[in-house]
Amino acid sequence: MNILVLHGPNLHLLGKRQPEIYGHQTLADINATLDRNAAASPHEITLKISQSNHEGELVSIIGDNIDWADGILINPAAYTHTSVAIRDALSTVALPVIEIHLSNIYAREEFRHHSYISAVAVGVIGGFGTHSYTLALEAMIQILQKKLEPSV
Ligand code: DQA
């Protein structure tokens, strides 16, 4: 199973960025946990992890992995609320996508309540801090194992 993991803008500053909202763990900590969980899985899982502050770069990475990835985990960060381009890229590759957020976007400012991405995702996991990523990886493995039928 090849799983593409994408982190959007400003997530490279996790640990320093508003720790009261996003916690104290760094992006390197999150990626290390993902790698550890993937390695501990009984399934053969390869993760390809990228972070970008640039919308077009995220679009390119998604498209470039159309033939490699079996599924995509993405925290689009602020682009969640603005990016038709990332949504279109995700629709184009037509792979199972899980949208991730550290915070509960519905408990925050109103402009964060709308996601352009959710409609093209099989599901959304948010509000659990860095554990959102662990839950999302577990859900993706099950989806790819066809154990979990996403409800549409
Ligand atoms: C975020 C929530 C977004 O609203 C915000 O712009 C982010 C991070 C989260 O993980 O909680 O950058 O995606």
Side-chain angles (χ1 to χ4, degrees):
M1 292 178 199
N2 291 337
I3 302 175
L4 182 65
V5 181
L6 293 176
H7 306 287
N10 298 307
L11 296 175
H12 63 308
L13 293 177
L14 286 176
K16 294 187 177 132
R17 178 189 179 196
Q18 295 174 282
E20 68 285 2
I21 296 175
Y22 297 116
H24 292 276
Q25 286 200 49
T26 65
L27 194 61
D29 294 332
I30 292 172
N31 291 341
T33 302
L34 285 170
D35 279 334
R36 221 177 16 252
N37 291 342
S41 165
H43 310 291
E44 180 98 350
I45 296 164
T46 306
L47 300 181
K48 202 190 267 187
I49 305 178
S50 298
Q51 186 275 332
S52 178
N53 295 322
H54 304 280
E55 184 177 22
E57 193 176 344
L58 291 163
V59 168
S60 295
I61 294 170
I62 293 165
D64 289 348
N65 283 285
I66 189 169
D67 293 324
W68 180 83
D70 298 307
I72 300 176
L73 304 182
I74 182 168
N75 183 346
Y79 290 137
T80 306
H81 318 297
T82 63
S83 183
V84 176
I86 292 175
R87 175 193 175 127
D88 282 354
L90 293 170
S91 302
T92 301
V93 296
L95 297 167
V97 172
I98 298 179
E99 177 183 337
I100 301 170
H101 299 286
L102 295 152
S103 63
N104 175 359
I105 57 175
Y106 300 103
R108 301 183 62 196
E109 302 96 321
E110 186 127 4
F111 69 86
R112 296 185 202 276
H113 297 181
H114 177 258
S115 167
Y116 279 98
I117 308 304
S118 302
V120 297
V122 292
V124 181
I125 299 177
F128 300 99
T130 55
H131 195 57
S132 295
Y133 285 88
T134 300
L135 295 170
L137 178 62
E138 194 179 317
M140 180 59 77
I141 292 168
Q142 293 197 16
I143 286 166
L144 294 178
Q145 282 291 105
K146 308 266 187 283
K147 281 193 187 141
L148 188 70
E149 282 294 324
S151 55
V152 188

